[in-house]
Amino acid sequence: MNKIKTTVDKNRPAKLQAFDRLLTIMDELRSNCPWDRKQTMESLRHLTIEETYELSDAILEKNAEDIRGELGDLMLHNVFYAKIASETDDFDIADVLNSVCDKLVRRHPHIYGDVQADDEQAVKENWEKIKLKEKGNTSVLGGVPQSLPAVVKAMRIQEKARGVGFDWDEKEQVWAKVEEEMEEFKAEFDSENGQMPDKEKAQDEFGDLLFSLINYARFLEINPEEALERTNKKFIKRFQYLEVEAAKDGKQMGEMSLEEMDGYWEKAKKQ
C-alpha cells in the first residue's frame, strides 16, 4: 500500500455545513414548492445540459464569480436528482457520494494499492483498463456516450484508443496523416470535366480530415473544442463590432459591399 499524503482542511466543518444546508433547502422545496414538486429526472435533463454549457462558457471567459454560480447550479441539480430517486427508494445522495468515492479508490490503485504509475499517461491507461473491466464492455469505445457533440466524441474516442496503446508515436506521423486526408478531400473537388463533386464522398473525406486534425491537436495538447469555441466567440465579437460601427455610419448590413465590410472587419481585429 502506498503511503497517502493528506493535508488538514480547516474549512471542512463550514463546507459540510453548507452542503447540509443545501440538502435541507432541497427537502423544503420538494415538499412546499409547486414547481419543485412537479419535476422529474426527465424534466430536469435539458436544464442540466443547459447549465453545463453555461459553466463551460464561464470557464472559457475565466470569470471566477460566474464559475462559482454555475457550479452551484450543477450541484443543485445533482442533489435534486438524488432527492427524486430517494422518494422511490432507488438511491439517495449518500449512495451517490459513496459510489463515486468507491470508484475513485478502485481507479487509483497507484494511490490506494500497489500499482506503479509514474506519469499522467500511465494513470490514464490504468483508468481506462479498470473502467473497461468494471463495465464489462466488449469494446474499448463502448463507454463513449452516443449523444456527445462530434468534436468532443472524437477526442474521447482517440483518448480511449490511446489508453490501450492504439496511437501514433510522434506528432509528425499525425501531421503526415492530416496532409494525406487533405489531399484526399481536395481530390473530390479537382474534377477535370467541371462536374459537381460527389457530396457524400466529399463529406466522408471532410470528416476524415477533421478527425485527423483533432488527433493532431491532441498531440499538441490543444483542446480542439475549446479552440473552436474561442474562434466562435472571436468571430461574434468582431462581427458585432462591424454591425455597430456600420450603423453609426448610417450603413445597413446586407446592403454593403464585401469590400466595405472588410474595412470594418480589419478595424475590429485591432480592438
Side-chain angles (χ1 to χ4, degrees), residues 155-194:
M155 293 165 56
R156 293 297 294 135
I157 288 171
Q158 293 167 5
E159 288 168 355
K160 285 182 173 293
R162 179 176 177 81
V164 293
F166 188 78
D167 200 7
W168 302 96
D169 295 319
E170 305 291 340
K171 66 178 183 297
E172 289 78 13
Q173 296 171 301
V174 188
W175 183 249
K177 185 64 176 175
V178 172
E179 293 181 321
E180 175 188 328
E181 297 295 352
M182 175 64 80
E183 289 302 317
E184 292 179 3
F185 176 61
K186 286 173 61 179
E188 291 301 317
F189 296 90
D190 291 341
S191 175
E192 295 181 358
N193 56 16

Side-chain angles (χ1 to χ4, degrees), residues 209-224:
L209 175 59
L210 284 178
F211 193 85
S212 62
L213 279 169
I214 291 169
N215 211 3
Y216 188 65
R218 181 170 57 87
F219 270 75
L220 298 183
E221 298 184 356
I222 293 173
N223 185 310

Side-chain angles (χ1 to χ4, degrees), residues 253-269:
M253 297 296 294
E255 298 178 0
M256 300 166 60
S257 68
L258 181 58
E259 184 178 0
E260 287 179 296
M261 288 188 285
D262 276 341
Y264 288 105
W265 186 265
E266 290 301 318
K267 292 178 182 178
K269 290 167 64 175

Side-chain angles (χ1 to χ4, degrees), residues 54-229:
E54 289 179 359
L55 171 61
S56 176
D57 285 344
I59 291 172
L60 288 177
E61 295 295 332
K62 293 182 170 59
N63 188 318
E65 184 175 350
D66 285 351
I67 293 172
R68 179 185 64 184
E70 298 303 339
L71 284 172
D73 291 341
L74 281 177
M75 183 68 73
L76 169 61
H77 279 238
N78 289 331
V79 169
F80 210 151
Y81 286 118
K83 175 63 178 177
I84 293 172
S86 71
E87 295 167 355
T88 53
D89 293 324
D90 289 318
F91 58 83
D92 61 18
I93 192 64
D95 296 320
V96 172
L97 297 177
N98 283 321
S99 176
V100 73
C101 287
D102 291 342
K103 179 168 67 176
L104 289 171
V105 171
R106 287 195 311 272
R107 295 189 184 178
H108 288 79
H110 55 292
I111 302 297
Y112 301 102
D114 298 322
V115 173
Q116 190 73 19
D118 297 324
D119 56 33
E120 178 188 1
Q121 186 56 37
V123 172
K124 288 182 177 180
E125 290 176 1
N126 282 337
W127 180 282
E128 291 299 338
K129 290 175 183 176
I130 295 169
K131 184 176 181 180
L132 184 63
K133 185 177 180 181
E134 285 177 353
K135 291 184 174 292
N137 290 330
T138 58
S139 170
V140 171
L141 305 181
V144 179
Q146 293 299 311
S147 58
L148 277 179
V151 173
V152 179
K153 185 187 291 185
M155 293 165 56
R156 293 297 294 135
I157 288 171
Q158 293 167 5
E159 288 168 355
K160 285 182 173 293
R162 179 176 177 81
V164 293
F166 188 78
D167 200 7
W168 302 96
D169 295 319
E170 305 291 340
K171 66 178 183 297
E172 289 78 13
Q173 296 171 301
V174 188
W175 183 249
K177 185 64 176 175
V178 172
E179 293 181 321
E180 175 188 328
E181 297 295 352
M182 175 64 80
E183 289 302 317
E184 292 179 3
F185 176 61
K186 286 173 61 179
E188 291 301 317
F189 296 90
D190 291 341
S191 175
E192 295 181 358
N193 56 16
Q195 291 183 346
M196 290 292 290
D198 185 315
K199 214 168 189 180
E200 187 171 345
K201 287 181 65 177
Q203 185 174 7
D204 287 344
E205 295 298 346
F206 186 65
D208 291 344
L209 175 59
L210 284 178
F211 193 85
S212 62
L213 279 169
I214 291 169
N215 211 3
Y216 188 65
R218 181 170 57 87
F219 270 75
L220 298 183
E221 298 184 356
I222 293 173
N223 185 310
E225 172 74 18
E226 180 177 334
L228 181 58
E229 183 56 20

